Amino acid sequence: VPLRCSFSVCHTSEAQRAKGTAQSKKPFQTPRGPAAHTLIDRPVAHHLDPKNERSGAPQAKSNEQRKEKEKEKESSRKMASVEPGFYEIWFDDSCTVNPLTDLRVLSPRELTFPQTIVCFQILAIGILFTLLRSWTVRCILGPIADRMKMLTDDYPRFFESAWQMTYYTGAWFTCAYFAHQAEFFKRACLSWVEPFPYQPVPLGFHWIYILSLGWYLHCFYAHVFLDPRKKDYYEMLIHHVVTFALLLFAYSKGYSRIGVLVLYCMDVCDIFLHICKLLRIFDNAKPLPSYVKNFAFPFLPISWVVFRLFFYVRKVLYSTLVHPFQFGGWRNSDLYAAFNVLLIILLFLQLMWFYYIMKTAVMHVFYGDEFDDERDPHAHDKRKSQ
């Protein structure tokens, strides 16, 4: 009997087998009516399957983590796409990147200097500036001084101020054009993110550095051999040496973005400085209306405070003192101490020259003196003669 029952259960007739295959070939139809809700929306009982019990919760967690990461990426893209305003550029410390772990220390470190061709470019630009100044004085500035019948003592001062005003006007507007297009100008902390200190120098910034290094090489030569000596002769000599070393280290050691910010904050004030000096020289040759000098001079102390004392400290010094450790890693910040010492020396020089500027303003307002350069001994001799 057991054998007969098993045979009857396990083996079906040919008619039953054909009927089963015909039903299996029919397309699946979605159930409709009240039964459809119970069949489709019925929750799955994971506890009935031990395999689902192990894999269900981790899959849910991974999905939640994936959604959170996607939300973070979308928010970072939105933050990066938002153009920061004036407050965010100069006051806000928020950055779209998170502090990085110091993994770049694994790469080999070596003391590097600019390539030989870069050194030749700097030397050639310095010589070219010297020759160009000689030609400009002989062919352009000399005839202008003769036609205006300037004082004999004002000739070298006129040549110096006109030449430097021409350079700094073109240099600052060029630097501002490229700097305003860069993201690190809006958020200074981006100067230290990966691949710092191996950040590539764009072609525009490369030539800004070459021209600036060549210019300060020329300024060192002109200050020693061409320009008349002033009261701050040695301080200006220190300024040229410090600025040249600062730009050279910034270009070769990965601080190129900070060097561009330094040039942006410094060069603009020299434009107003030499405009005021030229107006004073013109006034010696032919008296100018007082409102012209009174209108031009305030731009000098205002620009000095805004760019060299506030923006320089806020955007450059704060970033070089704090951000290298936070975003670049302390082992990646080569020459950290030397670089910041040079920047602080520049700050003290700016404070000293600002004192001379304010002294000139006080002498004019309270004593009626002219807007003479307090560093110039010619101005002091003229006061004694009066």
Side-chain angles (χ1 to χ4, degrees), residues 73-107:
K73 289 181 180 179
E74 289 179 1
S75 61
S76 63
R77 289 194 200 100
K78 291 180 181 179
M79 286 287 294
S81 62
V82 174
E83 192 72 17
F86 180 84
Y87 179 83
E88 287 78 6
I89 291 176
W90 297 110
F91 296 93
D92 192 13
D93 284 333
S94 63
C95 194
T96 56
V97 296
N98 294 323
L100 302 175
T101 56
D102 191 6
L103 299 177
R104 286 160 284 173
V105 70
L106 301 177
S107 58

Side-chain angles (χ1 to χ4, degrees), residues 132-160:
L132 190 59
R133 170 174 172 161
S134 177
W135 178 85
T136 304
V137 168
R138 186 175 62 256
C139 299
I140 300 176
L141 299 179
I144 292 176
D146 293 337
R147 180 166 295 184
M148 295 187 65
K149 297 180 181 181
M150 292 183 180
L151 301 178
T152 305
D153 294 336
D154 286 340
Y155 269 71
R157 294 171 181 81
F158 171 69
F159 298 154
E160 176 191 1

Side-chain angles (χ1 to χ4, degrees), residues 261-325:
L261 293 178
V262 172
L263 292 174
Y264 177 85
C265 293
M266 293 294 173
D267 289 352
V268 62
C269 300
D270 289 311
I271 302 173
F272 299 108
L273 172 65
H274 292 292
I275 287 176
C276 293
K277 292 174 72 174
L278 288 174
L279 290 176
R280 185 68 186 96
I281 293 171
F282 295 155
D283 185 66
N284 290 337
K286 184 178 180 180
L288 297 175
S290 58
Y291 65 85
V292 175
K293 296 177 287 185
N294 294 334
F295 175 79
F297 181 80
F299 288 99
L300 176 58
I302 291 173
S303 65
W304 208 280
V305 170
V306 172
F307 285 92
R308 293 198 175 188
L309 299 183
F310 177 72
F311 286 173
Y312 178 73
V313 174
R314 186 66 185 84
K315 295 294 287 187
V316 177
L317 273 180
Y318 177 78
S319 183
T320 56
L321 290 171
V322 177
H323 288 161
F325 298 154

Side-chain angles (χ1 to χ4, degrees), residues 11 40 49 53 56 91 100 114 124 142 184 192 202 225 232 236 247 258 268 295 352 354 365 373 384:
H11 295 276
I40 296 175
D49 188 0
E53 184 180 0
F91 296 93
L100 302 175
F184 66 85
W192 313 101
F225 298 104
D232 61 341
M236 185 63 73
L247 293 176
I258 291 296
V268 62
F295 175 79
M352 181 195 70
F354 183 68
V365 172
D373 190 350
K384 290 180 182 178

Side-chain angles (χ1 to χ4, degrees), residues 219-228 233:
C219 285
F220 182 85
Y221 170 80
H223 185 70
V224 176
F225 298 104
L226 300 178
D227 297 334
Y233 173 80

Side-chain angles (χ1 to χ4, degrees), residues 202-276:
L203 185 61
F205 291 156
H206 165 78
W207 284 109
I208 287 175
Y209 271 98
I210 297 300
L211 291 174
S212 299
L213 287 167
W215 169 257
Y216 282 103
L217 194 63
H218 156 73
C219 285
F220 182 85
Y221 170 80
H223 185 70
V224 176
F225 298 104
L226 300 178
D227 297 334
R229 291 204 174 190
K230 299 183 181 66
K231 188 177 179 180
D232 61 341
Y233 173 80
Y234 292 103
E235 290 85 347
M236 185 63 73
L237 199 64
I238 292 172
H239 170 267
H240 293 333
V241 174
V242 167
T243 306
F244 184 84
L246 185 66
L247 293 176
L248 189 67
F249 288 145
Y251 180 83
S252 59
K253 299 304 296 180
Y255 295 85
S256 60
R257 299 181 176 182
I258 291 296
V260 172
L261 293 178
V262 172
L263 292 174
Y264 177 85
C265 293
M266 293 294 173
D267 289 352
V268 62
C269 300
D270 289 311
I271 302 173
F272 299 108
L273 172 65
H274 292 292
I275 287 176
C276 293

